[in-house]
Amino acid sequence: MCGIVGYVGPDAKSRTLEVIMEGLARLEYRGYDSAGVALVVTDGIASAKKAGKLANLRAEIEAHPLPGSTTGIGHTRWATHGGPTDDNAHPHLGGDDDRLALIHNGIIENFHVLRTELLDQGVVFRSETDTEVAAQLLARAYADTNDLTSAMQQVVNRLEGAFTLLAIHADTPGQVVAARRNSPLVIGLGDGENFLGSDVAAFIGHTKSAMEVDQDQIVTITKDTVSVIGFDGSPAEGKRFEVTWDAAQAEKGGHSSFMAKEILEQPHAIADTLLGRTDEAGRLVLDEMRIDPVRLAEVNKIIIIACGTAFYSGLTAKYAIEHWTRIPCAVELAHEFRYCDPVIDAQTLVVSISQSGETMDTLMAVKHARALGALTLSICNTHGATIPRESDAALYTHAGPEIAVASTKAFTAQIAACYLLGLYLAQLRGEDSTVRTVMQELAQIPGKVEHLLGRMDRVREIAHFMADTRSVLFLGRHVGYPIALEGALKLKEIAYIHAEGFAAGELKHGPIALIEPGQPVFIVVPSPHTPYHLHDKVVSNIQEIRARGARTLVIAEEGDETVVPFADEVIRVPQSSPLLAPLLTIIPLQVFACQLATAKGLDVDQPRNLAKSVTVE
Ligand code: F6R
């Protein structure tokens, strides 16, 4: 939520503005309510900011060009305090002479008290934001200290909540000072230039050399130096890492949207997540997790915590994890988990799942679990993100950068990673043959997804014809149930259509009343090999809703002819063992949502009111 960029380059003719605008374009997925930049120029600070998407800021700068500069900051906003207006857009200027500019990601919880204090001192505010309070405080602290880093240190110690702040001052050209608490910040290390960003996408076009910043640290960059201190002034060091993907992976590459591209990238996302996880004897090796196998072997309870799509990946994985390990596995929404007084001890493994690794609700839940003594493991797609660093161990999905706000390839990669974890726990309990069999089946999944993606023409046609649909229901059972929930979420978030997912067995307990003639219903049919006759039960459910006029869009395995008489449309997926089917059955639902939103002329990658990486609670 909110994208931030900072840059210091070699000379005033350098491409400072260009670098910042390019960084903002790559971070726009984090928020697109408004955008702004500020530069240190000869006679002070030059800034421009505009409500709406980055294109509006670009037009503003074209109409009113900014002077050259070595030093600048840029922001793309997801509004929290104050609506998405020009005035509320960042940067915010501070001081009586507007010689300081500041941008912010997060929420300053005690802003009201601080604002009142500043109002009493005669400060006139030009926005409704919490950020302007920090800008004014920083300008005052700078007036006392004449040092932007020390001023930042004074200010952060007065702030409560979550924040990444970036500031420049007209008196200190060639310097950007940043601070972070519970909000993301990474440093990009260039040659004669340095960068700051919410994530590495901000500078991936310029350097792959990066440095992590810990909680409660202040960073000062110049073109040649990077220094890090704690909020208490103690010296600190960032941890360097190399970014493993390149700028081309964060481009649309000829696709109509990032979402369309990312859907197609799933064979690679799953394959890369599974890659190199076994030794020559076929045993799983998850050294990357850096977790003590003895402690892991003692685990007697698993709680998965996550939000949104990541939560549904956890719900999907629960079936497999419990089946393979016989360890009870609960799946909780991260924002509920913290407040439900969870029963946790040292033998509880709390697994967080997060694409961004920055979701505030999930981060806070991880901290809570750790404080209660649980062993915490983060399944994450973003190297250097806060959640894996705040966890005892990390298992990375290797889906590559996910730019579209609606998560697709991260979802299937998360399921794959959870399966690796489940199998590893099973291996620790001596289930070697299960591990070998499932790993062999998993290895075939990327090829099956590829095959399936090549046969989505009919799904696209159906989506196109359904562009005016006002409501779609999704039914599933067993592992198909979370897939129904995820299919509904995709449609809600990018096509703004009322959509609901149900467990098929729940239908007769209420939701069947929603069925009226013509109501489209997707049904995720379990493989005929699913135990307990679940397949037949779902086929009966299809008959029940068809009898009441539903238009049935049935997702069924190749060769399953029993569904044909009751289906208005049959969407075929390759055969697989029941527990691996979600990696296939979700594909048509992702394609359907993406195509339907496109047919409605909507911005598929940047749906209204949303932002990727939800860094506020
Ligand atoms: C939906 C979507 C969100 C995220 C959720 C968690 O398509 O992307 O529901 O899954 O906000 O985000 P992460 O995985 O970054 O913690």
Side-chain angles (χ1 to χ4, degrees):
M1 237 155 218
C2 298
I4 51 176
V5 187
Y7 176 74
V8 186
D11 57 57
K13 287 196 203 72
S14 71
R15 52 209 168 100
T16 304
L17 183 60
E18 200 184 305
V19 170
I20 293 171
M21 291 300 284
E22 187 189 317
L24 290 182
R26 291 196 199 281
L27 294 183
E28 201 181 8
Y29 68 89
R30 299 181 70 94
Y32 30 85
D33 289 337
S34 59
V37 292
L39 305 171
V40 179
V41 297
T42 358
D43 52 354
I45 298 285
S47 76
K49 50 190 198 169
K50 258 332 216 186
K53 294 205 173 174
L54 192 59
N56 296 2
L57 176 66
R58 232 181 245 122
E60 169 74 10
I61 294 173
E62 257 167 48
H64 306 100
L66 297 171
S69 168
T70 59
T71 312
I73 52 179
H75 188 267
T76 171
R77 177 169 187 246
W78 186 84
T80 53
H81 286 87
T85 62
D86 287 357
D87 285 340
N88 288 334
H90 303 205
H92 291 281
L93 302 180
D96 302 331
D97 43 12
D98 287 344
R99 287 176 72 75
L100 176 133
L102 179 132
I103 54 178
H104 167 218
N105 172 22
I107 290 185
I108 297 167
E109 283 168 3
N110 59 337
F111 98 101
H112 201 69
V113 180
L114 299 170
R115 188 178 162 104
T116 309
E117 180 187 310
L118 288 163
L119 283 169
D120 289 346
Q121 290 170 23
V123 171
V124 177
F125 285 95
R126 286 166 282 194
S127 77
E128 303 153 278
T129 64
D130 49 346
T131 306
E132 195 180 1
V133 170
Q136 292 295 1
L137 281 177
L138 190 62
R140 269 148 191 77
Y142 180 82
D144 291 343
T145 56
N146 268 327
D147 180 83
L148 197 52
T149 308
S150 315
M152 184 65 93
Q153 202 189 326
Q154 275 187 20
V155 170
V156 290
N157 284 308
R158 299 207 56 204
L159 304 181
E160 287 165 19
F163 49 84
T164 300
L165 303 171
L166 259 64
I168 51 174
H169 198 289
D171 294 354
T172 57
Q175 189 185 66
V176 180
V177 176
R180 87 168 272 242
R181 166 174 288 165
N182 289 334
S183 264
L185 177 66
V186 278
I187 307 168
L189 305 165
D191 185 9
E193 58 182 356
N194 283 311
F195 310 78
L196 293 163
S198 304
D199 65 49
V200 295
F203 45 76
I204 190 67
H206 306 283
T207 181
K208 286 184 162 192
S209 207
M211 193 183 269
E212 293 176 0
V213 182
D214 248 321
Q215 287 292 15
D216 292 2
Q217 290 189 333
I218 295 172
V219 181
T220 305
I221 62 163
T222 67
K223 71 181 175 55
D224 300 312
T225 61
V226 170
S227 66
V228 185
I229 57 169
F231 280 8
D232 58 0
S234 57
E237 256 180 54
K239 190 169 145 220
R240 291 180 79 128
F241 66 97
E242 287 296 304
V243 183
T244 51
W245 48 273
D246 58 31
Q249 281 175 273
E251 309 281 350
K252 265 192 229 168
H255 295 274
S256 58
S257 63
F258 278 109
M259 185 179 177
K261 173 178 175 249
E262 288 160 9
I263 289 172
L264 294 175
E265 284 172 348
Q266 289 181 102
H268 283 291
I270 300 168
D272 290 351
T273 299
L274 298 174
L275 195 71
R277 306 293 195 177
T278 43
D279 65 13
E280 281 166 9
R283 284 177 64 80
L284 265 171
V285 184
L286 296 185
D287 289 349
E288 174 193 295
M289 287 200 301
R290 294 185 317 269
I291 206 164
D292 177 7
V294 177
R295 181 134 190 234
L296 211 48
E298 286 166 359
V299 164
N300 63 11
K301 176 171 167 186
I302 299 169
I303 304 179
I304 298 180
I305 47 175
C307 304
T309 290
F311 171 72
Y312 295 144
S313 77
L315 270 188
T316 309
K318 169 194 162 78
Y319 294 85
I321 291 174
E322 288 191 332
H323 181 68
W324 294 328
T325 65
R326 309 312 300 151
I327 303 173
C329 175
V331 189
E332 308 280 356
L333 287 163
H335 35 89
E336 289 296 319
F337 167 80
R338 276 173 75 197
Y339 307 107
C340 69
D341 200 7
V343 182
I344 280 180
D345 61 24
Q347 283 171 281
T348 310
L349 175 66
V350 171
V351 181
S352 64
I353 307 176
S354 174
Q355 187 286 130
S356 62
E358 301 291 351
T359 300
M360 182 61 74
D361 291 317
T362 310
L363 172 63
M364 290 304 163
V366 169
K367 288 187 173 188
H368 187 61
R370 231 178 155 183
L372 293 174
L375 184 61
T376 53
L377 168 71
S378 153
I379 291 182
C380 183
N381 195 41
T382 312
H383 190 103
T386 308
I387 295 174
R389 287 167 47 217
E390 293 283 327
S391 303
D392 296 304
L395 178 61
Y396 284 98
T397 48
H398 295 284
E402 192 179 64
I403 310 288
V405 164
S407 187
T408 53
K409 62 176 180 171
F411 176 71
T412 42
Q414 283 160 354
I415 295 174
C418 285
Y419 282 9
L420 288 175
L421 174 66
L423 290 170
Y424 187 69
L425 290 167
Q427 182 173 282
L428 291 175
R429 280 155 184 77
E431 297 289 338
D432 289 25
S433 73
T434 305
V435 174
R436 254 193 311 278
T437 313
V438 180
M439 284 306 288
Q440 278 163 9
E441 286 172 358
L442 269 174
Q444 292 170 19
I445 290 290
K448 291 183 181 181
V449 174
E450 185 88 60
H451 174 72
L452 180 58
L453 283 165
R455 293 184 326 178
M456 285 292 101
D457 287 353
R458 181 63 190 149
V459 172
R460 289 196 184 89
E461 261 172 38
I462 298 170
H464 201 80
F465 293 135
M466 285 175 63
D468 294 331
T469 305
R470 297 176 61 86
S471 160
V472 182
L473 304 180
F474 295 76
L475 297 182
R477 194 154 190 169
H478 192 246
V479 285
Y481 167 45
I483 295 305
L485 296 173
E486 171 63 3
L489 175 61
K490 288 286 90 82
L491 203 57
K492 281 183 244 202
E493 65 176 333
I494 61 165
Y496 317 150
I497 289 180
H498 169 254
E500 281 203 63
F502 298 106
E506 191 65 9
L507 204 60
K508 54 195 171 298
H509 300 288
I512 199 164
L514 289 170
I515 305 293
E516 55 187 14
Q519 169 67 51
V521 185
F522 275 96
I523 306 102
V524 183
V525 178
S527 135
H529 309 293
T530 312
Y532 317 117
H533 306 291
L534 282 184
H535 169 270
D536 302 348
K537 292 178 203 269
V538 172
V539 174
S540 301
N541 294 145
I542 305 175
Q543 294 175 56
E544 286 154 18
I545 56 170
R546 192 112 186 286
R548 288 160 177 83
R551 180 158 178 254
T552 54
L553 307 154
V554 175
I555 300 176
E557 219 177 72
E558 275 161 12
D560 178 2
E561 296 306 319
T562 53
V563 296
V564 175
F566 318 111
D568 289 297
E569 295 282 348
V570 184
I571 300 158
R572 293 290 181 191
V573 296
Q575 293 183 350
S576 70
S577 64
L579 289 169
L580 304 196
L583 292 162
L584 301 165
T585 49
I586 190 57
I587 304 289
L589 298 181
Q590 295 170 339
V591 171
F592 175 77
C594 184
Q595 189 62 34
L596 199 147
T598 309
K600 284 180 81 171
L602 298 171
D603 185 338
V604 173
D605 290 332
Q606 297 182 345
R608 70 184 177 204
N609 305 338
L610 287 169
K612 203 155 183 82
S613 190
V614 185
T615 53
V616 294
E617 275 189 81

